[in-house]
């Protein structure tokens, strides 16, 4: 590894070192680096547990357990300086143990890792997948478990077995981690060696993902049908009441939108889930800075808005592109006896939102 000295326009060598020489430990250091910054492995991962030992009839522990963006469980095994001979077999065992974890068990495992509640765990999972309802997420699909090895050096028996297993559709990745010294500081490089990162997207998939478990598929279908039925009745109710959604088209999504409030990129959305419903002003022009400016404009008129509508939840969502201003009710679309109350809530809030935010919006200057 070389460091560029811009003043002299020269490349300065960063000296290779070892974790042992730097007195760095596997669990205390390497494991913590990855747990706190999983993106060093080259993708977005949500770490849900470390030193996981929730296996029946065994006291074995895997180093890190994570979720990827496709809902797959990722078993991460870390080895300092040497991968060891048995790491492949060890990780395969862990992946097999994890293959039976249900969505509820994954949420529970993550809640323990956060030292929080299962609701808090669900909120972070929903945020990671940018979803509104856990029903819209499939965690740990059948035969989808992945393995990631992280080590400073890989033995031939490990790389050979990893390549062989990949031929049979087992998703195994080897990442070499190399420490260097420069100016008295330790620099760490993560380099994916199997499969070669540059060729990964062109690699032919030997095994397609199997169909989702019939029980989960049926559950998802029931959920979609339930939402469609809810919206069908809702649109009919609007036609009877001359409501704002009388001309809307029912679908199986968890939300329905209604125009804007006088500023491009803003809309009134209504959202349903198994545990709550909400009406919101959703800000999404496609440009992060513009969204935040619109949100800040509305927030500067917070007192005026809440005098008309009551207390609202203001979410600037600095870690996202979009923004949201909303009101919630503890209604579930699964409870048919609550539908009329939900319909009235959505119609009333939508009409009030459009009237109130439109009056404020005329003061907005681009």
């Amino acid at each position: 590894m070389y460091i560029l000295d811009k003043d002299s326009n020269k490349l300065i060598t960063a000296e290779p070192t070892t974790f042992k020489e730097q007195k760095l430990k596997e669990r205390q250091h390497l494991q913590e680096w990855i747990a706190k910054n999983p993106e060093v492995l080259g993708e977005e991962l949500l770490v849900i547990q470390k030193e996981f030992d929730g296996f029946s009839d065994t006291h074995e522990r895997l180093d890190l357990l994570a979720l990827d963006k496709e809902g797959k469980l990722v078993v991460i095994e870390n080895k300092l300086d040497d991968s060891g001979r048995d790491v492949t077999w060890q990780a395969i065992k862990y992946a097999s143990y994890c293959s039976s974890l249900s969505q509820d068990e994954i949420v529970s495992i993550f809640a323990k890792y956060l030292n929080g509640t299962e609701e808090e765990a669900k909120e972070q999972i929903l945020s990671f997948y940018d979803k509104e309802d856990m029903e819209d997420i499939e965690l740990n699909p059948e035969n989808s478990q992945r393995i990631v090895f992280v080590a400073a050096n890989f033995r031939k028996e490990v790389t050979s077995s990893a390549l062989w297993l990949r031929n049979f559709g087992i998703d195994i990745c080897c990442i070499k981690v190399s420490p260097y010294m420069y100016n008295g500081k330790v620099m760490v490089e993560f380099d994916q060696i199997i499969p070669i990162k540059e060729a990964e997207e062109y690699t032919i998939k030997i095994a397609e993902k199997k169909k989702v478990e019939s029980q989960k598929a049926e559950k998802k279908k029931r959920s979609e049908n339930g939402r469609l039925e809810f919206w069908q009745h809702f649109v009919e109710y609007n036609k009877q009441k001359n409501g704002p959604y009388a001309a809307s088209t029912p679908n199986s999504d968890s939300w329905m939108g209604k125009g804007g409030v006088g500023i491009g990129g803003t809309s009134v959305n209504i959202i349903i889930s198994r545990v709550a419903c909400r009406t919101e002003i959703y800000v999404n022009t496609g440009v992060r800075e513009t969204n935040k400016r619109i949100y800040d404009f509305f927030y500067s008129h917070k007192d005026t808005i809440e005098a008309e509508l009551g207390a609202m939840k203001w979410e600037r969502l600095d870690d996202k592109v979009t923004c949201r201003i909303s009101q919630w009710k503890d209604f579930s679309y699964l409870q048919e006896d609550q539908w009329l109350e939900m319909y009235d809530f959505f119609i009333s809030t939508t009409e009030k939102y459009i009237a109130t935010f439109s009056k404020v919006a005329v003061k907005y200057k681009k």
Side-chain angles (χ1 to χ4, degrees):
M1 177 182 285
Y2 297 91
I3 308 298
L4 174 63
D5 185 335
K6 288 187 176 181
D7 293 334
S8 62
N9 196 27
K10 291 173 57 178
L11 293 175
I12 301 172
T13 303
E15 296 297 328
T17 184
T18 66
F19 291 113
K20 186 175 182 180
E21 288 175 356
Q22 301 306 318
K23 299 180 180 180
L24 295 171
K25 306 293 184 181
E26 183 177 300
R27 292 182 180 176
Q28 183 181 349
H29 297 105
L30 179 59
Q31 182 171 289
E32 289 300 315
W33 301 339
I34 299 172
K36 293 174 181 176
N37 298 95
E39 64 274 10
V40 298
L41 301 184
E43 62 180 300
E44 286 187 79
L45 294 171
L46 179 66
V47 174
I48 62 171
Q49 192 53 272
K50 57 185 176 183
E51 296 297 315
F52 179 60
D53 61 354
F55 309 127
S56 300
D57 305 320
T58 175
H59 297 292
E60 295 176 289
R61 295 170 177 263
L62 65 82
D63 293 339
L64 292 170
L65 185 62
L67 287 166
D68 70 8
K69 280 294 187 178
E70 294 182 355
K72 299 177 182 178
L73 281 176
V74 184
V75 172
I76 304 170
E77 282 296 293
N78 312 307
K79 301 294 179 184
L80 277 183
D81 293 329
D82 192 306
S83 62
R85 290 187 177 89
D86 302 322
V87 65
T88 309
W89 169 239
Q90 187 180 35
I92 289 173
K93 284 192 297 181
Y94 295 155
S96 72
Y97 297 155
C98 292
S99 65
S100 63
L101 291 175
S102 67
Q103 181 160 297
D104 289 343
E105 288 173 321
I106 291 170
V107 170
S108 178
I109 289 166
F110 189 33
K112 291 177 182 176
Y113 177 65
L114 296 174
N115 198 24
T117 66
E118 292 192 2
E119 287 305 313
E120 291 170 333
K122 288 178 182 178
E123 284 183 12
Q124 291 208 27
I125 291 172
L126 288 170
S127 177
F128 180 69
Y129 292 107
D130 196 22
K131 297 290 185 181
E132 298 286 349
D133 197 312
M134 289 296 293
E135 287 186 357
D136 296 328
I137 303 171
E138 184 183 10
L139 301 182
N140 199 22
E142 185 179 9
N143 294 337
S144 66
Q145 298 71 39
R146 298 174 51 201
I147 296 170
V148 175
F149 297 130
V150 183
N153 295 291
F154 285 90
R155 299 193 181 205
K156 289 183 179 179
E157 54 262 52
V158 174
T159 54
S160 176
S161 59
L163 289 168
W164 183 77
L165 287 166
R166 285 188 62 84
N167 287 334
F168 291 90
I170 307 299
D171 193 338
I172 293 183
C173 173
C174 296
I175 296 178
K176 184 175 181 180
V177 55
S178 305
Y180 296 87
M181 287 296 297
Y182 176 71
N183 258 1
K185 293 184 178 181
V186 179
M187 304 175 64
V188 181
E189 179 185 38
F190 289 81
D191 183 26
Q192 182 173 305
I193 60 173
I194 295 177
I196 298 173
K197 192 67 177 177
E198 288 75 9
E200 186 174 16
E201 62 181 299
Y202 304 106
T203 302
I204 299 174
K205 294 182 179 179
I206 298 174
E208 292 182 350
K209 284 200 290 184
K210 288 189 175 182
K211 291 181 179 180
V212 296
E213 298 171 302
S214 58
Q215 185 177 7
K216 289 184 178 179
E218 183 62 28
K219 182 180 178 181
K220 183 178 180 181
K221 191 66 177 177
R222 287 199 304 268
S223 177
E224 290 176 349
N225 288 342
R227 291 196 293 256
L228 177 59
E229 185 180 0
F230 176 91
W231 293 126
Q232 286 173 333
H233 286 282
F234 176 64
V235 171
E236 287 302 317
Y237 188 78
N238 272 261
K239 290 177 180 177
Q240 297 170 20
K241 299 288 185 179
N242 196 27
Y245 297 93
S248 298
T249 302
N251 55 51
S252 60
D253 292 336
S254 62
W255 67 280
M256 186 175 285
K258 186 62 185 175
V261 294
I263 299 177
T266 62
S267 61
V268 179
N269 294 341
I270 53 177
I271 296 94
I272 57 174
S273 76
R274 302 179 67 174
V275 296
C277 68
R278 75 171 183 266
T279 306
E280 66 181 18
I281 292 292
Y282 192 65
V283 185
N284 185 16
T285 64
V287 180
R288 178 190 179 90
E289 292 74 17
T290 304
N291 294 341
K292 304 310 172 187
R293 186 165 65 250
I294 293 171
Y295 172 90
D296 292 339
F297 165 75
F298 282 136
Y299 192 80
S300 70
H301 295 274
K302 179 175 182 286
D303 291 343
T304 300
I305 292 170
E306 291 192 340
E308 296 282 340
L309 302 176
M312 307 193 72
K313 186 173 183 179
W314 296 78
E315 296 176 278
R316 196 172 191 268
L317 303 176
D318 290 330
D319 58 335
K320 295 185 178 182
V321 173
T322 59
C323 304
R324 177 187 299 133
I325 308 165
S326 61
Q327 288 177 318
W328 296 68
K329 282 286 186 180
D330 292 331
F331 289 133
S332 169
Y333 79 92
L334 298 177
Q335 303 296 322
E336 195 168 339
D337 61 346
Q338 296 181 352
W339 283 8
L340 287 180
E341 289 183 86
M342 294 174 72
Y343 295 165
D344 287 334
F345 170 75
F346 283 146
I347 291 172
S348 174
T349 51
T350 295
E351 291 174 340
K352 290 178 180 177
Y353 275 36
I354 292 174
T356 301
F357 280 89
S358 295
K359 283 192 296 185
V360 173
V362 297
K363 304 175 184 177
Y364 178 72
K365 296 181 181 179
K366 294 183 179 180

